[in-house]
Amino acid sequence: DLVVIGGGPGGYVAAIHAAQLGARVALLERGHLGGTCLNRGCIPAKTCLETAHRLADLRNAASFGLRVSEIGLDIDAVRANKQAVVKQLRAGVRSLLRARRVELIAAHGTLAGPRLVAVQGQGSLQAGSLILATGSSSLIPERFGQPGDLVIDAEAALDLESIPERLLVIGGGYMGVEMVSIYRALGSRVVLIEMLPSLLPTEEQAAAELVRASLERDGVEVVTGLGVKEIRSRKGTVSAVLQDGSERAGDRLLVAVGRSPNTAGLGLQE
């Protein structure tokens, strides 16, 4: 009755709900169940943020009359904890689908007709209805450089093997602010750059001002109202030249300026 392409929060929830209403449902997911949110976004970010908060609490323990010695960060253990949380929740999604008898197909699906889906290496499926829930990917404009060791997106930032001493973040939306909060608490010196007049431009101004004040109290340099004119990289460092001619340097550049839809390879043009 229904074919769903994409096993993220949009796709698997739709599949489960349709199955609850009595439909026969097939769900196609070529990667891990849970999509970006569970595997490379919300859940890993919240797990790392919790680690950052607990580290900050330990560093401030003396103000509560507590003596804590040898406060340190084991980045490998942080990554292992994050992966354990993700793995557990991913298994939970699979169990929910199995309980509703949703047919899970680990393959890429392409539109082959109005109600026909070609399944990579497995023939095709005829569907009465079709849901495309393929999600989105981090967007790094070409002028900021190619993703790699120096230029990273938020997904890569959640899987670094070391904490950079200096971190530049371009983009003051929710993802950029969250990454700044995590890395500042983990010890990086952070500069946050947002071209619009304030952080979190889609949120209430009063809330955005509170967030900015909190970041600045924690030692983050927040720059708003200035766009990035040029990105320069040399000798293992990267710098951003702003519209006023000033320059900010870092060991990594994290670009969090938005996302683009995953529509390539679906057969939409055909």
Side-chain angles (χ1 to χ4, degrees):
D1 298 320
L2 174 66
V3 172
V4 181
I5 300 179
Y12 80 73
V13 172
I16 290 171
H17 187 58
Q20 287 174 328
L21 296 175
R24 293 176 302 161
V25 184
L27 173 65
L28 279 70
E29 172 55 61
R30 63 183 178 183
H32 291 301
L33 284 173
T36 296
C37 179
L38 196 159
N39 295 285
R40 303 176 302 279
C42 321
I43 300 303
K46 299 303 182 292
T47 304
C48 291
L49 193 59
E50 180 64 20
T51 296
H53 286 162
R54 295 196 180 200
L55 182 60
D57 287 342
L58 288 173
R59 287 171 174 161
N60 295 324
S63 63
F64 293 93
L66 302 175
R67 296 176 181 174
V68 181
S69 60
E70 298 185 21
I71 300 173
L73 179 69
D74 184 340
I75 191 63
D76 291 333
V78 172
R79 295 175 70 202
N81 176 60
K82 178 198 67 174
Q83 285 305 114
V85 171
V86 168
K87 186 176 180 180
Q88 179 182 13
L89 293 179
R90 194 188 293 154
V93 172
R94 185 177 294 275
S95 295
L96 290 173
L97 292 168
R98 186 183 299 116
R100 294 300 173 183
R101 293 184 172 82
V102 173
E103 182 182 1
L104 178 60
I105 302 173
H108 177 64
T110 305
L111 301 181
R115 288 185 173 85
L116 187 65
V117 177
V119 182
Q120 187 176 31
Q122 301 184 41
S124 61
L125 293 172
Q126 191 75 37
S129 299
L130 176 66
I131 294 177
L132 299 180
T134 51
S136 62
S137 297
S138 296
L139 175 65
I140 298 183
E142 289 185 9
R143 65 192 186 92
F144 291 156
Q146 292 298 314
D149 291 337
L150 293 179
V151 180
I152 60 175
D153 59 17
E155 294 177 14
L158 291 169
D159 203 35
L160 290 183
E161 296 180 357
S162 62
I163 304 301
E165 183 178 341
R166 302 173 302 164
L167 179 66
L168 295 179
V169 179
I170 298 177
Y174 76 92
M175 184 57 75
V177 168
E178 192 167 51
M179 293 298 103
V180 167
S181 300
I182 291 171
Y183 273 90
R184 180 64 193 125
L186 295 180
S188 295
R189 300 201 309 271
V190 184
V191 178
L192 174 58
I193 303 167
E194 167 57 52
M195 67 178 295
L196 295 177
S198 70
L199 299 180
L200 302 171
T202 62
E203 306 298 331
E204 291 286 345
Q205 184 64 30
E209 290 174 357
L210 287 173
V211 169
R212 176 172 186 154
S214 176
L215 293 176
E216 290 179 333
R217 279 197 304 271
D218 288 340
V220 176
E221 180 185 357
V222 179
V223 180
T224 54
L226 288 174
V228 176
K229 185 166 63 174
E230 181 185 359
I231 298 295
R232 298 172 179 170
S233 58
R234 53 183 179 273
K235 295 182 180 179
T237 64
V238 61
S239 64
V241 180
L242 306 184
Q243 289 175 330
D244 64 353
S246 63
E247 189 171 352
R248 305 295 192 281
D251 302 303
R252 295 281 178 91
L253 170 64
L254 194 165
V255 181
V257 296
R259 301 181 66 82
S260 57
N262 294 330
T263 56
L266 287 177
L268 292 174
Q269 297 299 325
E270 293 77 8

